Amino acid sequence: MSKLFSEYKLKDVTLKNRIVMSPMCMYSVENKDGIATDFHFAHYVSRAAGGTGLVILEATAVQEVGRISEFDLGLWNDEQVPALKRLVDGVHYHGAKAGIQLAHAGRKAVLPGEIVAPSAIPFDEKSAKPVELTKEAIKEVVADFKRAAYRAKEAGFDVIEIHAAHGYLIHQFLSPISNRREDNYGGPAGNRYKILSDIIKAIKEVWDGPIIVRVSATDYAHGGLQLEDHIPFAKWMKADGVELIDVSTGGLVNVAPPVFPGYQVPFADEIRRGAGIATGALGLITRGEQAEEILCNERADLIIIGRELLRNPYFAKEAAETLGETIEAPKQYSRAWK
């Protein structure tokens, strides 16, 4: 059997293969209430029907002020749970596992009213200036990640991903570019890591399942985080109980990274080797053979597919065919699934 279509265990959760749908914001909550819609059900369940092993929902805000936009999913109240439960049940129906990315946008929120950040530094010259979070407000953010994790458990999710990448709030704390605090949440790397550690530990109080974390392994900017900074971060995450790191890059500053097939894979490889923790690789992975090479050369443990799954919900089926594998069809589609 190919490695791509071998099972993989995240703690007590067994994935039927190593293909993961990357969380990608859809900005499709038209009522601005954070509640998943029929679009979200069709969007995510169709990827499960297509053979994806783990479907991770887009950034889901733990606070109303933590949304990237007014059209984001949310888990800041109990009314948002039933629609997500229906969606999770649909993903499970097709034999996939369901994950959710819990997030807070921080200074990258584009919302009416006040936005918040570790320090009062705007994202760029066109962005609103955020309000610096007080220590009490930081504790409330941590508590809201915990509450959202409990709601995720109520909805039936198998995996929680913490969004600490792409310039959003936790990434803003991690990077010295956006964190100029002089208390125990700023300064040395251990202090800048504190909010992420607090969030992981708080979630573990209500959640027994696997926790993964998405990071941006480089800020692509002078004075920002580089790959070598993420090795100690990854070791601390492992010690805190994180199962796997989903390795992306960029987003903290308005810089376009160099993009080419597999451009983020070396970062996943280095963090995996340097910290001794499982990683997920992403970044223009579009073919089954490409994914298989990454896994067989032990450069990552999971393959996280983004835009290719937007283009093709049946990526898993086509990857299986190129690797000489046969995967089970949804019974309703079996007459056409050769």
Side-chain angles (χ1 to χ4, degrees):
M1 176 178 285
S2 65
K3 201 158 187 181
L4 185 62
F5 287 94
S6 64
E7 291 184 346
Y8 186 79
K9 289 198 76 171
L10 282 168
K11 205 171 181 179
D12 294 330
V13 174
T14 300
L15 309 182
K16 65 182 180 182
N17 61 47
R18 301 190 187 214
I19 300 171
V20 180
M21 183 177 183
S22 179
M24 294 173 282
C25 291
M26 294 290 107
Y27 306 115
S28 295
V29 181
E30 295 176 2
N31 291 335
K32 305 180 183 180
D33 56 7
I35 296 174
T37 67
D38 288 344
F39 166 81
H40 295 97
F41 184 89
H43 175 61
Y44 290 110
V45 175
S46 64
R47 273 67 189 176
T52 303
L54 171 62
V55 174
I56 305 180
L57 271 64
E58 63 206 76
T60 302
V62 302
Q63 292 184 334
E64 196 165 4
V65 71
R67 294 173 294 170
I68 303 166
S69 79
E70 294 181 287
F71 306 100
D72 290 12
L73 289 178
L75 257 183
W76 66 81
N77 66 47
D78 293 341
E79 287 69 36
Q80 293 156 340
V81 173
L84 289 176
K85 185 178 188 311
R86 173 175 174 261
L87 192 159
V88 169
D89 289 344
V91 169
H92 286 165
Y93 176 83
H94 291 288
K97 301 300 183 185
I100 189 165
Q101 186 187 66
L102 300 182
H104 192 299
R107 71 179 189 175
K108 288 185 80 173
V110 182
L111 300 168
E114 183 179 283
I115 60 172
V116 298
S119 302
I121 304 169
F123 171 63
D124 59 22
E125 65 278 359
K126 298 178 182 178
S127 302
K129 185 176 181 179
V131 173
E132 181 173 307
L133 286 161
T134 64
K135 279 192 169 184
E136 292 72 23
I138 291 172
K139 290 178 181 177
E140 191 61 23
V141 169
V142 172
D144 282 333
F145 268 93
K146 178 179 176 179
R147 294 181 187 110
Y150 180 81
R151 295 184 182 108
K153 183 177 180 179
E154 292 291 292
F157 284 97
D158 305 290
V159 176
I160 283 177
E161 174 168 286
I162 300 169
H163 200 351
H166 298 168
Y168 299 118
L169 184 69
I170 299 173
H171 186 182
Q172 292 161 29
F173 271 92
L174 293 174
S175 178
I177 289 177
S178 46
N179 184 348
R180 306 286 176 81
R181 299 178 72 94
E182 297 181 353
D183 58 12
N184 61 338
Y185 288 96
N191 285 6
R192 288 182 276 115
Y193 174 75
K194 177 173 168 52
I195 189 171
L196 177 53
S197 182
D198 289 349
I199 287 168
I200 295 165
K201 291 171 182 175
I203 287 175
K204 285 173 68 67
E205 292 175 10
V206 297
W207 174 262
D208 297 324
I211 298 171
I212 65 180
V213 177
R214 171 164 278 191
V215 302
S216 284
T218 176
D219 289 340
Y220 297 111
H222 178 72
L225 293 173
Q226 305 299 329
L227 176 59
E228 55 267 25
D229 298 304
H230 281 275
I231 304 302
F233 284 155
K235 289 179 178 178
W236 295 337
M237 287 182 230
K238 183 178 180 180
D240 283 337
V242 170
E243 297 292 319
L244 179 139
I245 299 180
D246 171 357
V247 184
S248 189
T249 58
L252 188 85
V253 294
N254 202 2
V255 174
V259 175
F260 49 87
Y263 71 103
Q264 294 175 137
V265 175
F267 297 99
D269 188 358
E270 289 295 326
I271 289 173
R272 185 180 188 272
R273 297 179 191 278
I277 190 169
T279 59
L282 63 148
L284 289 186
I285 300 171
T286 60
R287 297 176 296 107
E289 302 97 325
Q290 182 188 12
E292 185 72 3
E293 178 275 318
I294 293 164
L295 294 171
C296 288
N297 284 321
E298 298 185 344
R299 303 169 75 194
D301 301 274
L302 294 177
I303 301 298
I304 301 173
I305 305 292
R307 294 180 189 183
E308 190 62 22
L309 270 172
L310 295 183
R311 287 185 284 266
N312 179 10
Y314 297 93
F315 169 81
K317 176 182 182 294
E318 293 188 6
E321 290 172 353
T322 64
L323 296 173
E325 299 280 2
T326 301
I327 61 173
E328 187 177 355
K331 60 184 180 182
Q332 297 88 345
Y333 301 163
S334 58
R335 75 191 75 176
W337 195 292
K338 304 296 184 183

